[in-house]
Amino acid sequence: MTTHWSECKPTPLPGANFPHNNWTDERRTCKEFYSGRSTEELNRHFTPIVRSALRMSNASKASKHATPSSSRVICVVFVLLLLDLLGFTLILPLLPSILDHYAHSGDAAYQSLQSAVDVFREVLGIPMEKKYNSVLFGGLIGSIFSLLQFLSSPITGALSDRYGRRPLLLLTTVGIMSSYVLWALSRSFTMFLLFRVIAGVCKGNVSLCTAVVADLPDPKARNRGMAIIGVAFSVGFTVGPLMGAYLAVTSKSAGHVFFQTPALLALTFSVADLVFIWLMLPETLSAHAKGSHSVFGDFQDLLGPLALFSFSAVTRTKDPPSELRMQKLKALGRVYFCYIFLFSGLEFTLSFLTHQRFHFTSMQQGKMFFFIGVAMASIQGGYARRIKPGHHVKAVRMAIAALIPAFILIGLAWNVAMLYVGLALYSFAAAVVVPCLSTLVSEHGSASQKGTVMGILRSLGALARALGPVVSSSVYWLAGSQICFLVTSTSFVIPLILLSSA
């Protein structure tokens, strides 16, 4: 064994008394230590250390091969979710035209929903204008979609804990593909409504993608992944509607039904999504982490609103979380619900306000939401993904607090410049709160429960989105726009108070 003393660094071995005053003394002592010992003696000291180091190196290499790269997983999640959201948002600018298209068809399903909208409009005293009717009708369909998400998200998440993220993503994507086929072929409102119902049941990609990110072992990677999911939302909701509006015009000019080309493009996006998941997405839930319990035995925990708010499904394990951990998880769920409830309500009435006060056209509305989308994507890509572990509660507190002046400015705005100042603060909060809360919630539950936890969180958000617009629009038309925005903006104090126990 040949070792040059100049390459040696001090190691606490028996019989070696290394002084630590400076490196020159350590090298001198190291030289004396080697000079006074035989090769056999050195082998006795160093062989166990070398073997241990080799074992650690081999284990590290094996771990790296067994666990997919976090950066790769995050990139794959971004692409698959962006494809999903582009297909989902193509329909958004077309909804008023689609409703007008079926209004004169005499479809029984359309007439039933229109009667419900008319009752709601008359009770609140909403003017009988085409613009308002389209917003209310679209809100009703959106509430139905959200209620279906409320029911399906926890079950989808729990099934992914049992069978893996990848199989469930493939299954839900096939379901979404079938819904787009129905949309492309729909010639009646009943068929169109069936498309929305199937899409609502199968739209599990968002909660499953958050579960994939929650599986990542590194907290920094999880935070980055949740922020990237937010970027995918911002880009999808900015680009998708623009593509849908453009393709509707070209489809109509070509002599086709105006929504057929957007529907076929949405189907193309979902097919590409399916292929991408099949080829690129690794399974992030390890085999030993997959749950062995029956999902269908816990229906009460996955469907009951009270059980969802208490995250009772998370306690159904041999090693349940501590009471303190469960209290923090419940607090985060309540904060998430309250925030989405208030935010989605004012977001819904924003269309009423801009049309009524500033007489925005559809193009001006589109430009407004384009500004919001670009601002959110910039904040999520630049700030939100760089938030350090341990600072998420502070970031959420700051973002929710920013919503109070944001909606006060929007509610009192007497010119477009003041409106856009409020929208800038609004965009900051929208870009930060949900990714940070998702990151905080992803830290709870065992490895075999991440899908259930994120599915329940998504379910609470869906319930809030189903109820928020109904309550907020009622206040808007009964009390006026200023009262609605002032009262609701100050109500953001509630999630701020709840956040103190998280």
Side-chain angles (χ1 to χ4, degrees):
M1 175 180 175
T2 303
T3 306
H4 196 273
W5 64 269
S6 63
E7 298 174 355
C8 175
K9 292 186 179 181
T11 306
L13 295 171
N17 183 20
F18 289 116
H20 290 279
N21 52 353
N22 57 63
W23 175 232
T24 303
D25 289 342
E26 289 172 351
R27 288 177 62 176
R28 187 183 302 117
T29 306
C30 187
K31 178 181 179 182
E32 294 170 357
F33 174 76
Y34 275 110
S35 300
R37 281 167 169 75
S38 65
T39 302
E40 291 77 9
E41 188 177 0
L42 290 173
N43 281 336
R44 282 201 309 273
H45 287 308
F46 282 103
T47 299
I49 297 174
V50 172
R51 287 176 178 170
S52 177
L54 286 172
R55 283 196 300 269
M56 292 174 64
S57 176
N58 291 335
S60 176
K61 289 179 181 178
S63 176
K64 288 181 179 179
H65 287 299
T67 306
S69 165
S70 294
S71 297
R72 180 198 167 199
V73 170
I74 291 171
C75 289
V76 171
V77 165
F78 173 77
V79 174
L80 74 89
L81 193 55
L82 181 60
L83 288 170
D84 177 67
L85 291 169
L86 286 173
F88 174 74
T89 56
L90 285 171
I91 193 176
L92 297 183
L94 311 182
L95 201 53
S97 299
I98 290 174
L99 296 177
D100 288 343
H101 177 75
Y102 291 119
H104 308 96
S105 64
D107 189 278
Y110 182 91
Q111 297 302 328
S112 298
L113 288 182
Q114 182 62 64
S115 299
V117 170
D118 289 340
V119 171
F120 184 73
R121 179 180 53 77
E122 291 171 4
V123 168
L124 298 181
I126 302 174
M128 183 53 197
E129 291 187 26
K130 181 180 176 181
K131 169 80 175 181
Y132 296 147
N133 187 72
S134 297
V135 172
L136 290 172
F137 208 120
L140 177 60
I141 294 176
S143 292
I144 293 172
F145 183 90
S146 295
L147 285 173
L148 291 169
Q149 281 280 280
F150 165 71
L151 295 172
S152 64
S153 292
I155 296 174
T156 302
L159 286 170
S160 76
D161 286 336
R162 179 69 179 87
Y163 300 104
R165 318 295 183 215
R166 188 178 142 91
L168 263 294
L169 273 166
L170 290 169
L171 181 64
T172 55
T173 304
V174 169
I176 293 169
M177 284 171 53
S178 66
S179 73
Y180 290 143
V181 170
L182 278 177
W183 182 27
L185 298 176
S186 64
R187 295 296 178 268
S188 67
F189 184 76
T190 302
M191 207 167 174
F192 174 80
L193 199 60
L194 182 60
F195 140 63
R196 297 300 291 167
V197 169
I198 294 174
V201 172
C202 297
K203 193 67 177 172
N205 291 28
V206 176
S207 61
L208 290 172
C209 283
T210 57
V212 168
V213 172
D215 289 334
L216 300 178
D218 181 22
K220 290 184 179 179
R222 286 200 298 270
N223 176 60
R224 192 167 71 253
M226 294 300 178
I228 292 300
I229 287 175
V231 173
F233 262 90
S234 300
V235 174
F237 275 81
T238 302
V239 177
L242 294 175
M243 295 175 65
Y246 173 77
L247 290 172
V249 173
T250 57
S251 181
K252 189 174 182 179
S253 62
H256 304 298
V257 180
F258 69 94
F259 58 77
Q260 188 169 42
T261 303
L264 291 173
L265 180 60
L267 176 61
T268 303
F269 279 137
S270 63
V271 171
D273 207 14
L274 183 71
V275 174
F276 189 77
I277 293 169
W278 179 266
L279 295 177
M280 301 299 295
L281 182 69
E283 178 56 66
T284 56
L285 184 66
S286 59
H288 72 272
K290 291 181 181 179
S292 58
H293 63 282
S294 172
V295 173
F296 300 100
D298 301 329
F299 261 139
Q300 186 60 38
D301 292 330
L302 298 175
L303 294 178
L306 294 178
L308 292 173
F309 274 101
S310 63
F311 285 85
S312 59
V314 181
T315 62
R316 310 299 188 198
T317 179
K318 294 179 181 178
D319 187 21
S322 66
E323 185 64 28
L324 179 61
R325 295 278 295 172
M326 285 303 301
Q327 286 178 359
K328 289 186 175 182
L329 180 58
K330 293 174 188 177
L332 289 170
R334 290 191 290 267
V335 170
Y336 187 79
F337 175 84
C338 287
Y339 165 77
I340 297 291
F341 176 81
L342 295 169
F343 185 89
S344 64
L346 290 183
E347 184 182 46
F348 182 76
T349 55
L350 188 60
S351 297
F352 292 135
L353 183 140
T354 54
H355 178 71
Q356 191 180 40
R357 187 179 301 175
F358 299 108
H359 309 290
F360 271 17
T361 63
S362 297
M363 179 60 70
Q364 289 171 309
Q365 294 270 15
K367 289 179 179 179
M368 180 183 72
F369 285 110
F370 181 78
F371 167 80
I372 293 171
V374 171
M376 286 178 60
S378 302
I379 293 165
Q380 285 162 336
Y383 167 69
R385 70 186 182 90
R386 291 185 171 90
I387 297 173
K388 296 179 180 179
H391 292 74
H392 292 97
V393 172
K394 181 180 177 181
V396 171
R397 186 178 289 113
M398 178 176 62
I400 294 179
L403 280 175
I404 298 175
F407 282 120
I408 289 176
L409 285 170
I410 293 171
L412 298 178
W414 58 79
N415 57 46
V416 175
M418 188 174 176
L419 172 70
Y420 269 80
V421 172
L423 291 175
L425 290 171
Y426 162 102
S427 302
F428 171 76
V432 172
V433 176
V434 171
C436 285
L437 286 177
S438 299
T439 300
L440 289 167
V441 171
S442 70
E443 297 171 358
H444 293 268
S446 64
S448 62
Q449 294 178 316
K450 297 297 185 183
T452 302
V453 171
M454 302 313 295
I456 291 174
L457 185 72
R458 178 74 178 168
S459 176
L460 294 177
L463 180 62
R465 285 195 176 278
L467 301 177
V470 175
V471 175
S472 188
S473 58
S474 300
V475 176
Y476 183 97
W477 290 106
L478 292 174
S481 60
Q482 291 188 354
I483 297 296
C484 174
F485 276 81
L486 289 174
V487 170
T488 310
S489 63
T490 55
S491 299
F492 279 101
V493 172
I494 297 173
L496 284 175
I497 294 172
L498 293 173
L499 192 62
S500 61
S501 59

